[in-house]
Amino acid sequence: MGTAERHRESGSGAVDGGAAAREIAPQGAAAQRPVPRRPAPQGHVSGERESVEHEMAEQRPPLWVEEPARRRRLPDPVRTAAVRAVIIVALTLVQAMVAFLSALAGSWLSFPMVLSSVASTVVATWGVLDVWVTRQVWNQRYGVVSVPSSTARRLRRERRRARRQARAAARGKDRIQGRSGPGQLSHP
């Protein structure tokens, strides 16, 4: 059945009839195989069929289920350093492979590639060490380290103290304004 026949049948309302389930095709094995019925366009759906489809849609499980992460997300500076290190290491590996293949081929490019591979190996090592150092610094500054001299504990203590002082100042300001009224001086 071609597209034109489908449009004619859906337009005439013959979708529910038995003729729509059969294909007008040449003789043979294909003529005996029924073609599955396609749903009618939205404009031709009856009210009761629409309600049945709506109920079926409500019973389906959602397509995407949010699951909690198994591990916490890396802090932004650490993640940035890790991405940088991965890119540098990948480029170093590609460069080393080009140096190796050009050396096997006896190309003039092999010597400059070997020298630059050595230099990029040093840079890749720096990139990986940068991830480690950044992670350690972040943990010491912002992480919870169970050491009394931890910088994170001291910073948290200072932040708590500042919040308490701000709340106390706001309460004191409200008390003063509440007694004399808003915007009035005590002596006219």
Side-chain angles (χ1 to χ4, degrees):
M1 175 185 299
T3 308
E5 288 89 8
R6 285 194 186 107
H7 282 295
R8 263 189 255 125
E9 286 182 13
S10 67
S12 65
V15 174
D16 294 342
R22 284 182 246 109
E23 177 180 350
I24 302 169
Q27 299 294 329
Q32 297 170 355
R33 184 181 60 204
V35 174
R37 291 192 317 189
R38 299 184 78 178
Q42 290 296 334
H44 300 286
V45 176
S46 65
E48 105 183 16
R49 185 172 174 184
E50 189 176 287
S51 65
V52 170
E53 287 178 358
H54 183 66
E55 289 173 8
M56 288 176 61
E58 288 178 356
Q59 293 173 356
R60 280 189 216 128
L63 292 175
W64 185 267
V65 178
E66 198 71 33
E67 294 180 3
R70 292 184 182 171
R71 291 174 48 176
R72 285 183 23 207
R73 180 176 162 164
L74 282 175
D76 285 340
V78 179
R79 192 171 58 248
T80 304
V83 168
R84 187 184 319 121
V86 165
I87 291 172
I88 291 171
V89 168
L91 289 175
T92 301
L93 288 174
V94 168
Q95 195 172 12
M97 183 59 90
V98 168
F100 175 72
L101 292 176
S102 61
L104 284 180
S107 172
W108 64 270
L109 193 61
S110 64
F111 182 67
M113 288 302 289
V114 167
L115 288 180
S116 63
S117 293
V118 170
S120 61
T121 302
V122 172
V123 172
T125 306
W126 166 83
V128 172
L129 285 175
D130 182 45
V131 174
W132 181 67
V133 168
T134 306
R135 185 172 166 266
Q136 295 298 326
V137 167
W138 195 92
N139 279 338
Q140 185 180 8
R141 285 188 187 160
Y142 306 107
V144 179
V145 182
S146 57
V147 178
S149 63
S150 171
T151 313
R153 286 180 191 267
R154 185 172 50 81
L155 288 174
R156 280 203 186 95
R157 225 177 278 131
E158 290 172 4
R159 278 190 227 126
R160 260 187 263 132
R161 189 176 302 131
R163 270 186 299 212
R164 275 192 220 119
Q165 290 173 351
R167 279 194 303 248
R171 276 194 305 255
K173 192 175 182 182
D174 288 342
R175 286 184 196 151
I176 294 172
Q177 287 180 353
R179 290 180 188 157
S180 61
Q184 290 182 345
L185 296 174
S186 57
H187 301 293

